[in-house]
Structures are given as structure tokens and as C-alpha cells.
Amino acid sequence: MAVGWVKRSAAHHAVSEIERVEKAVLETSRMQLHKLVEEALPELEMMIGWAESSDPLQTTPIFIRDAKSISKLTCGPLCSQNLTGYLVKPPALDSVPKDAKPIGICVKGCDSRSLVALIQEKFLTRDRVRIFGIPCRGTVDWRKVEKRVQLLNVKSATVEDDWLILDDSGTTHKIALEEVLSRKCLGCRYPNPVIHDVLIGQSATPRSTDLATTYRDVDAIEKEPLEQRLAFWQSELDRCIRCYACRNACPLCVCQDKCIVETREPRWLTQRAGIPEKFLFHFIHAMHLAGRCTGCGECERVCPMEIPVTLIKEKLNKIMEEMLGYAAGLDPDAVPPLLTFNPGETEI
Amino acid sequence: MAVKIFIATDRLDSVLEKLSTKIDLLIPASLKDDKSAPTGFVPFVPGTAPAFDRQTTTPLKKALLPQVETLLRFEYHKDPQGSPKSSVTVDDQRQVRPTLVFGARPCDVKALTTLDRVFSNGPYVDPYYVERRKNTLFATLVCRQNDAKCFCTSVGGGPADMEGSHLRIVPVDGGYVVEALSPEAQTLLENLADAPDSARDAQAGQIVEEALKRRVGELDTKGSPEAFRKRFDQTDYWFQMINQCLGCGVCTYVCPTCYCFTITDEVENLKGERLRSWDSCMFYHYTLEASGHNPRPTKLERYRNRVGHKFSYIPERYEGLLGCCGCGRCIRSCPVSIDIRQVVGHLKENTSE
């Protein structure tokens, strides 16, 4: 077999292994993915990946149990969703008995960190998943595309070299990929999956290797006077419609139906749609992710009101890195600092 | 004789300002300084640039059914014997101001026909809704910007459908031709601007003609109520359709026809308010019963209900009326690209699949 399972690779993956898989005979990542999934599917309960949707600019998750559907699988810059949340939520969680075969899943670099965090917090054991790692050069934010060209009836969207090429009602738009990448991608340090069983395609070069680049948006806000920062968040959060897409999309928001903003007994938050309620919700969400958030940006990606909600979590992540030297979701064996209790702690 | 005026683009702000002295105005506009930001209907203040070039992100329904409204205020009173809640006074006074929505889209206004059936046509009449409904007029823009997610003509509407509208706005070269469709609207147009010249009037006529003919969307909803009933118990079908659903409330909150609400009392000491706020059938708590039982325990039952409500229960109850106006917002905003057209379209396919 030309490409086999790379055994139990952990974080900080060796470059040689990446190269080994790159030399695989398959020409394109997509074909390689199909081949690998085809080989693996008999050993899997189901395969979770991305497929084309009715909008060529966006992909949709697909849950494959039948080899017939493998051809629908796709990968690349249009696969922006982090799929790992499905591992701990229905249907993957409910429909799969505990002794069932592993679940296959496609992950980009950022997604793989969520997977690590889920393993760290014991929501998942490593042997329950077969990880198809896909090095990532950044994902497209369709809203940024929409701001550049008026989208009427997109017939196709393809990525060629550094360009996103759209065919919209007979007009071809050629847009620099760089200009329509998601905000989180621009400071990405981990484009290559930190955990995987197999890698697909060529390894990607990190856009950032330092905190200053990764947290540039946080730094920019922190330079503003306090009143302006408050005004910024009030105006941004004012748009919130309390649809909770940010919460439901978050792979690490694990309270599910017991979320503090909806429980009736006790009722912590009123139904009012004022800024105080929205503020409280978003900051509770962020605080519950302190030291856990891997910065995958799902909360921001799904927000219909374009509120930069990941930024709040980025601030916490920055504190974690600066104070405790800890970034979430890198090492499955590490214990996150806020999940430890040391009676002899002297530093706090 | 219909009253028509022409508003030049560069005079739009001053004309709206003049109009706003006669009636409160709601206009579609960006919800932050950035013009390309999400849009919604906001009260007009001079200088607000209307966003007529695209459909608003949030729907018009909040003009009649706000996301949160105070139904009443109450206060308990102690009696001299010391019983803390021996009597209660209730105050449900409210003020509704006449409002004109300037620049709604036909799909948004069409959606109100569904809300009307529920809130004003009995047997239970909602006074809060009815009061706002009576006091709100609609100046509707003939739609020229439908995109791949629009499907208004598939569900009984159309880009020039003026059902429920009081004024028609036609975007023409250099501005807008606005025509009164009802007597109260005629009064509003008086002394606002001149009549359009014959060339613009003819252009407006052509645009309306073209929009009346335009088909938007290919969904065939005929037979959906029966097809839905057949599919009801086919769990595999629903799993296949909505496996990816995150169970958030985006689709219901951006939907112009979703009207479900919850009522809560917000009490502090002896005083409180009874609030009505939007609810979403996609939420776990929506059908959670006091016993702890939940008849729709998973997203499957919840999403199925959303489809059934719009394409089976409402048409069966209200003579074929659909609970969908084809605006496409749920498709545009869904974080996981669920397309309700596909779910409804596939209902009628070979059910043995």
C-alpha cells in the first residue's frame, strides 16, 4: 500500500513524515483524500468531511457511511468549517455506540488543535478518531468576497495558485486569495495539523511564528483608550441577535442544552435584548473558554451579524500565553493549566 | 388618479427628512459605519444612508413583532397584615406611533400575510401586533437584486409583488419613482417632490413590467404538505438532510415569517415586567415541558418541525398559504449551508430511498 496509516502521530509532527506522505502517487489532495478514505472506510463507523453545497463559495459538512458518497468529499480553502464539534455532539456522538469503530474526520491545522483539546479534556479518546490531516494555506471568508464583488448567481468557485476565481452569471471574477482569507488565518501559527493519522497534500508554511503577529488584532484594540474599547464592544455587540450560533459552533462549548444563558432554574440572564445581556453572554462564553480556546474562529465565522467575537477569546489566549506560557490544543498529554489544582501554588 | 413623485438620489436624504416630519420612518441601513456591514431596518435620522442595494441581513418583522417587548408592568402590594403579595396592579399602557417603512422588499412585506393570519385573523387576536400593524405603512422597493438564494416566485410572491404595500418605489436612472397605492399614502407624498418626467415614468413602467414577469427560484411546493406527512417518520431522510445542523437560531431569527415567541416575567422584589421575546424552535428549551420531558429532544425533530410548520401545517391550516416568503435569508446565513429548498424539494422524491 502506497500510503498507509501513519501510526499515532502526536503534536509537533516531524517534517519527514509529512514529506513521506507528500510523495504519494496521487496527484491532487482531493484525489488523495478520496483514495485514503476509500481504503479506510471499512474500518470506520463514519467519515466526517466537507462537501460542496448549493453555494459554490461554501462547503457543507458531510457524514459518510457509504463508499458511494466518497466522491463528494472535498478539501481546500473553501473548507472553512471546523468539523471537530460534531465528534462530541449529535449525530456522531448519539448514533455511535461506545464500542463502535472509530470515526474518521478531516482536520486543518486549527481544527486539529480543537481535537487535541477535546482529548485533553477527556471528551474523546484518541483511538475513537482516525484523523485525516490537511495542511491549510488559509480559508476563504465568503463575506469578504461578497464585500468585494456583488454576488448574484455564482456558478463555480475555484482556487488556482493565489487566486480565487468565480464565475458569476457569465462574469469571471479573479480575486487575490490573500484579500479574502478569514481574519484568523492571517496570524496562523499552525497551518499543519498537530495531530493526525495521515496527512494529505503538501505542508503549509506558517504565517506567523510570534505572538505579535498572531495577536496583532488584540494589540491594536489594546492601544485604544479604555472608553473607546468599551464603545467598540458596545457597538459591535449591539448587533448580536442572540441566535447562539457562536456557542453552538464552538467545538469546546460542551454544556450543550444546559447553557447558562438559557437555563430557567436558576435564570441567570433575562430575555431582554439589550447590550448588557449580550455583553454578559459573550463574556461568559469567553470566560468559559479561558485556557481552552484554540482560536479556530468558528464563533466568528458563523456570526450572521459579523461581530468579531473570536477577538474576545484571543485576548484570553494572549494572557494565557504571556502569563503561563500555554497555548491550548497542542499536546494531548499536557494538562491545561486552568484544569489543574496545586495546593502548593505560590505564583498566584 | 395615482400620485407619483420622482426623488433624485442626491435629494433622497432631504426628502426622507421632510417625510419624517409627517410620520416616523424605518429604513434599511447598515448597522455600523462601514457600508458593507450587516444591515437591518433602523429609525431614520437625517444623514442615514439607506441600503437599497441589497436585502437586509435581519428581517422586517421586528417592526411589528419586536425581538423583545414589554407586554405589561406589574407591582405587588403588601397589606397591613404583612402578606407580601395580597394585591397586584397591572399597567399595560403602550404607545404605538404611526410608522412608514421606506424601502422594504416585496418578500418582507409578503411575509406579513403569514403573521397576519396568526396574530390578527382570530380566533386569538394579538392586540400588540394588531395595533402596530394598523399603524404601519409600507413603501416597497421593486426588487432588482435577487440572487441565487432568492426564491420568492416559488412561494407565491414576486419581485414586483405589492400585496400589503402602500407605496411602490421603483429605482430608475438617477433616483426613484415613488407611487402611492392607497389613499393614506397619497397624503404622505403631497408636497414632497415633483412628478417624474415622462421618460422616467416610462422607465419605471418598464422596470415594473419586467419584474412582474421575472421568475425567481425553481422550488415546486405543490404537494409539499402531503409529502411532508409521508416523510415524517423517515428518520433517515431527516438525518440525511440536517445531520450538519448546529441547532442555533440563525435561520429562525433572520426569517421574516417565523413568529414563535416566549413570555417571561422579569421580577425584582415586588415590581416586574412581563416580556415577550422571540423564541426559536431550533432550541432545546422551546418544547421543554415542566416535567422535564421534551417531545422534540434532538435537532432532528426540531428541524423537521421547522420544515413542517412552514410547508405543511400552515398551508393545511390557512388555505395553501405558505410559512415562507422565499427571501433566502436562512440559506444565506446558515453557518453550515443547509438549503431549505433542497430539504423541501426532496420531500417529494421517491420515498423508498
Side-chain angles (χ1 to χ4, degrees):
Chain A
M1 198 163 74
V3 187
W5 291 107
V6 178
K7 261 290 188 199
R8 279 291 193 111
S9 31
H12 313 302
H13 207 75
V15 178
S16 62
E17 284 188 16
I18 296 172
E19 284 172 349
R20 189 158 66 87
V21 183
E22 265 173 39
K23 284 178 192 139
V25 284
L26 296 162
E27 283 172 20
T28 67
S29 303
R30 191 176 157 146
M31 285 168 69
Q32 195 186 347
L33 176 64
H34 291 179
K35 178 92 169 47
L36 288 167
V37 174
E38 212 174 291
E39 285 169 11
L41 199 62
E43 303 164 30
L44 300 176
E45 191 65 34
M46 73 162 97
M47 177 71 207
I48 308 177
W50 303 279
E52 281 167 10
S53 75
S54 64
D55 178 355
L57 255 181
Q58 295 184 67
T59 54
T60 188
I62 185 170
F63 304 82
I64 296 174
R65 292 172 193 272
D66 181 346
K68 269 194 303 192
S69 308
I70 293 175
S71 61
K72 291 181 185 161
L73 271 181
T74 188
C75 54
L78 297 173
C79 301
S80 46
Q81 193 187 350
N82 177 353
L83 304 171
T84 59
Y86 291 116
L87 291 171
V88 290
K89 291 172 191 173
L93 187 71
D94 284 2
S95 61
V96 177
K98 292 276 178 262
D99 56 350
K101 293 184 273 189
I103 298 171
I105 187 162
C106 289
V107 295
K108 305 180 292 291
C110 49
D111 311 339
S112 73
R113 292 180 64 192
S114 309
L115 207 49
V116 171
L118 289 170
I119 293 170
Q120 284 177 328
E121 297 186 18
K122 302 193 171 26
F123 284 102
L124 203 63
T125 53
R126 177 64 183 86
D127 55 5
R128 290 288 300 126
V129 276
R130 284 289 164 79
I131 308 165
F132 294 71
I134 300 171
C136 174
R137 57 189 299 198
T139 57
V140 170
D141 176 349
W142 67 268
R143 290 190 170 92
K144 278 193 184 173
V145 178
E146 197 184 49
K147 288 179 201 302
R148 296 186 63 87
V149 290
Q150 194 182 14
L151 303 174
L152 294 171
N153 194 354
V154 181
K155 291 286 177 212
S156 75
T158 47
V159 175
E160 285 173 30
D161 301 321
D162 296 327
W163 303 92
L164 174 68
I165 296 160
L166 298 182
D167 172 13
D168 189 342
S169 320
T171 311
T172 306
H173 301 285
K174 195 174 172 189
I175 305 163
L177 195 57
E178 191 69 24
E179 287 167 25
V180 290
L181 289 183
S182 308
R183 189 179 65 79
K184 62 159 182 175
C185 301
L186 303 174
C188 176
R189 281 177 295 173
Y190 302 96
N192 300 303
V194 298
I195 185 172
H196 54 80
D197 291 298
V198 66
L199 270 178
I200 289 129
Q202 298 187 339
S203 68
T205 316
R207 283 167 178 275
S208 161
T209 50
D210 57 88
L211 296 188
T213 312
T214 297
Y215 295 116
R216 72 215 174 285
D217 292 337
V218 176
D219 291 340
I221 290 194
E222 282 181 329
K223 286 199 184 87
E224 303 284 342
L226 201 56
E227 302 75 44
Q228 273 184 33
R229 274 186 261 167
L230 181 65
F232 171 79
W233 284 115
Q234 283 178 331
S235 121
E236 289 294 319
L237 294 176
D238 189 26
R239 290 202 303 280
C240 173
I241 55 172
R242 291 185 73 174
C243 69
Y244 304 132
C246 49
R247 176 195 70 186
N248 289 25
C250 176
L252 291 162
C253 257
V254 288
C255 300
Q256 315 259 330
D257 298 329
K258 304 282 183 276
C259 178
I260 191 168
V261 299
E262 284 172 308
T263 52
R264 292 177 182 170
E265 289 295 330
R267 203 165 71 218
W268 296 98
L269 223 59
T270 77
Q271 286 299 312
R272 291 180 215 279
I275 294 175
E277 281 79 13
K278 297 166 181 179
F279 214 92
L280 208 56
F281 161 59
H282 285 286
F283 281 80
I284 292 170
H285 185 185
M287 291 309 288
H288 284 183
L289 286 160
R292 304 172 63 228
C293 172
T294 60
C296 75
E298 272 295 278
C299 49
E300 194 164 309
R301 183 187 74 81
V302 302
C303 178
M305 304 310 288
E306 298 177 29
I307 304 168
V309 282
T310 308
L311 206 49
I312 310 171
K313 290 115 197 174
E314 282 170 24
K315 167 67 181 165
L316 290 164
N317 292 350
K318 184 173 178 246
I319 296 173
M320 287 301 293
E321 295 210 41
E322 286 173 350
M323 281 182 64
L324 301 167
Y326 180 79
L330 292 178
D331 177 2
D333 297 322
V335 179
L338 297 183
L339 298 187
T340 62
F341 176 68
N342 177 6
E345 180 68 63
T346 55
E347 299 296 312
I348 48 173
Chain B
M1 175 73 194
V3 176
K4 272 186 211 175
I5 59 165
F6 171 72
I7 308 174
T9 310
D10 58 4
R11 293 212 50 233
L12 185 59
D13 191 59
S14 63
V15 170
L16 287 180
E17 189 177 350
K18 210 165 157 187
L19 191 56
S20 69
T21 59
K22 301 182 183 180
I23 190 167
D24 284 2
L25 283 184
L26 274 182
I27 61 160
S30 167
L31 297 175
K32 64 188 255 193
D33 298 341
D34 170 10
K35 239 193 95 181
S36 65
T39 50
F41 287 90
V42 298
F44 170 80
V45 285
T48 317
F52 288 154
D53 58 335
R54 58 204 159 110
Q55 187 186 60
T56 52
T57 317
T58 52
L60 173 59
K61 69 176 169 191
K62 72 171 184 188
L64 301 181
L65 186 68
Q67 181 155 13
V68 184
E69 67 179 314
T70 303
L71 297 180
L72 50 88
R73 288 158 290 278
F74 53 86
E75 187 173 0
Y76 293 104
H77 304 281
K78 281 187 183 178
D79 72 4
Q81 269 71 49
S83 165
K85 290 184 177 178
S86 55
S87 67
V88 61
T89 47
V90 169
D91 162 25
D92 69 345
Q93 275 197 330
R94 53 198 180 269
Q95 205 191 13
V96 174
R97 293 169 59 92
T99 302
L100 170 68
V101 180
F102 194 92
R105 300 238 165 186
C107 50
D108 265 338
V109 180
K110 178 87 181 174
L112 302 176
T113 55
T114 307
L115 301 194
D116 288 346
R117 292 306 295 258
V118 177
F119 289 110
S120 31
N121 288 21
Y124 307 103
V125 175
D126 185 296
Y128 300 86
Y129 177 88
V130 169
E131 245 171 10
R132 284 200 188 88
R133 185 71 168 114
K134 276 193 200 138
N135 281 288
T136 311
L137 303 180
F138 300 93
T140 305
L141 200 63
V142 171
C143 183
R144 304 183 73 187
Q145 284 99 4
N146 54 284
D147 67 19
K149 282 148 190 164
C150 294
F151 57 108
C152 57
T153 50
S154 301
V155 288
D161 185 357
M162 291 294 132
E163 188 185 350
S165 297
H166 304 84
L167 292 147
R168 173 166 58 202
I169 309 172
V170 190
V172 292
D173 292 341
Y176 304 88
V177 170
V178 183
E179 184 184 349
L181 305 173
S182 74
E184 64 258 64
Q186 282 191 9
T187 329
L188 284 178
L189 292 192
E190 274 163 20
N191 306 320
L192 268 190
D194 295 336
D197 58 31
S198 58
R200 286 205 176 90
D201 195 26
Q203 196 198 359
Q206 272 172 12
I207 287 169
V208 172
E209 278 302 303
E210 183 276 326
L212 282 170
K213 284 187 211 136
R214 191 150 24 103
R215 305 286 309 159
V216 181
E218 286 151 10
L219 179 68
D220 177 12
T221 58
K222 222 177 285 154
S224 297
E226 301 76 33
F228 172 80
R229 296 219 169 269
K230 277 192 191 144
R231 287 282 193 196
F232 190 86
D233 282 328
Q234 294 178 14
T235 357
D236 283 353
Y237 177 77
W238 295 104
F239 264 134
Q240 207 185 334
M241 289 295 130
I242 57 96
N243 248 336
Q244 69 268 49
C245 176
L246 295 173
C248 71
V250 173
C251 51
T252 52
Y253 285 0
V254 299
C255 176
T257 57
C258 273
Y259 53 78
C260 288
F261 58 81
T262 185
I263 294 177
T264 49
D265 283 353
E266 304 296 347
V267 195
E268 218 171 297
N269 300 321
L270 294 174
K271 275 185 173 181
E273 280 189 339
R274 178 158 296 174
L275 302 181
R276 162 156 71 182
S277 54
W278 291 355
D279 202 348
S280 168
C281 57
M282 306 307 281
F283 293 157
Y284 173 78
H285 289 86
Y286 180 82
T287 45
L288 181 62
E289 296 172 4
S291 65
H293 172 67
N294 195 335
R296 294 188 204 133
T298 75
K299 64 183 180 183
L300 185 148
E301 295 87 6
R302 300 203 276 272
Y303 191 85
R304 182 180 62 193
N305 172 69
R306 178 173 158 78
V307 173
H309 194 189
K310 292 186 176 305
F311 294 93
S312 179
Y313 314 149
I314 288 184
E316 281 177 348
R317 193 179 176 90
Y318 300 127
E319 303 94 41
L321 181 81
L322 293 168
C324 172
C325 67
C327 71
R329 284 188 180 89
C330 58
I331 308 169
R332 251 172 243 115
S333 283
C334 179
V336 294
S337 306
I338 294 177
D339 189 331
I340 197 161
R341 292 171 300 185
Q342 290 180 347
V343 184
V344 175
H346 289 156
L347 283 174
K348 282 183 287 186
E349 275 175 15
N350 185 2
T351 46
S352 63
E353 196 187 316

